[in-house]
Amino acid sequence: MPATIIDTEKQRRLRRVRLYVVSDASAPVARALACVAAACDGGADAVQLRRKGDAGLADYRLAERCRELTAAAGVLLIVNDRIDIAMACAADGVHLGQDDLPVAVARRLWPDGIVGRSTHSVEQAIAAVGDGADYLGVGPVFVTPTKPQTPAVGLELVSAVATAGLPIPWVAIGGIDRDNLSTVLEAGAPAVAVVRAVCAADDPRAAARELRRLVDARRSAEVMA
Ligand code: TZP
Ligand code: MG
């Protein structure tokens, strides 16, 4: 397995991630920024800037603003797909899907950037570890309109990945909200990532806080058990 070369501080912060908020790719810039600010304020450990299309300059400017917000809050910033924008705004890392750049190529381009990989099966998860990914997204756990073309993998995959005992952090993603969060954590997810549960909420800050509270409550119950 290729050894990761991100620094130990980044690794430590990645291992501590429990709540990871992904911005809504279709949101106007102001709304995306408000969601990132709310996530930081509401207690997210990591934020992913996700945009669709090729608005390079606008997305770079947005990424710069997100970097300011996340750096001030001590929150990890990951940029989806665009390693150029991630590096240019001095983000902490990049998130790559199965059809994006290979993990090893991203690592070569950006040795000290966190490289995350989306996975939809245990085989993909094991392969991504072997390729040197620093963390994984596992999902979509439930059907989600945010990623309509990707079939849901169900809680079964969350349990299977948990049982596989991966040596890197991972987050469950897809259709997760305050009502089903506990089932995802009970299935073995160490952390959760959400789009709509925060970004589509009437009050994204309050929504992030509530998810944070629920994740923390579950973790404290585990420690007491
Ligand atoms: N990757 C897998 S599911 C998903 C992504 C980006 C979208 C999750 O969105 P939501 O709104 O939390 O269901
Ligand atoms: Mg992608």
Side-chain angles (χ1 to χ4, degrees):
M1 180 194 316
T4 185
I5 45 179
I6 59 168
D7 65 40
T8 48
E9 171 63 11
K10 273 188 181 167
Q11 286 180 35
R12 188 188 63 80
R13 290 173 68 197
L14 252 189
R15 278 198 304 271
R16 292 167 64 104
V17 169
R18 297 285 173 261
L19 177 61
Y20 181 131
V21 174
V22 182
S23 74
D24 178 349
S26 56
V29 165
R31 175 78 191 174
L33 207 50
C35 173
V36 169
C40 291
D41 250 29
D45 311 288
V47 164
Q48 183 189 124
L49 177 62
R50 184 167 182 258
R51 307 295 291 168
K52 286 295 158 194
D54 58 0
L57 179 60
D59 290 346
Y60 166 64
R61 298 265 182 253
L62 175 59
E64 279 189 316
R65 304 281 307 279
C66 291
R67 176 68 291 183
E68 286 161 19
L69 290 170
T70 51
V75 170
L76 288 170
L77 176 64
I78 307 290
V79 175
N80 187 52
D81 292 348
R82 296 286 304 260
I83 192 169
D84 56 342
I85 292 180
M87 294 175 74
C89 78
D92 295 294
V94 64
H95 188 89
L96 301 169
Q98 291 290 318
D99 296 330
D100 296 320
L101 279 182
V103 169
V105 172
R107 168 79 62 226
R108 196 167 69 230
L109 290 170
W110 195 13
D112 59 351
I114 291 171
V115 181
R117 185 66 138 187
S118 293
T119 62
H120 316 294
S121 65
V122 174
E123 292 72 26
Q124 287 179 356
I126 290 170
V129 172
D131 291 342
D134 295 307
Y135 80 93
L136 307 179
V138 174
V141 180
F142 304 112
V143 172
T144 171
T146 313
K147 196 143 181 166
Q149 289 89 1
T150 314
V153 296
L155 290 169
E156 297 73 19
L157 183 62
V158 175
S159 302
V161 171
T163 305
L166 301 180
I168 59 172
W170 57 281
V171 300
I173 183 166
I176 300 171
D177 59 25
R178 51 169 292 170
D179 297 326
N180 61 28
L181 175 71
S182 63
T183 63
V184 180
L185 297 174
E186 268 156 34
V192 292
V194 299
V195 180
R196 286 167 304 141
V198 167
C199 300
D202 291 339
D203 183 342
R205 188 170 282 99
R209 275 208 187 108
E210 172 69 352
L211 289 172
R212 174 89 245 172
R213 188 185 67 73
L214 293 169
V215 171
D216 288 346
R218 166 83 200 176
R219 291 294 157 222
S220 334
E222 276 173 9
V223 171
M224 306 285 283

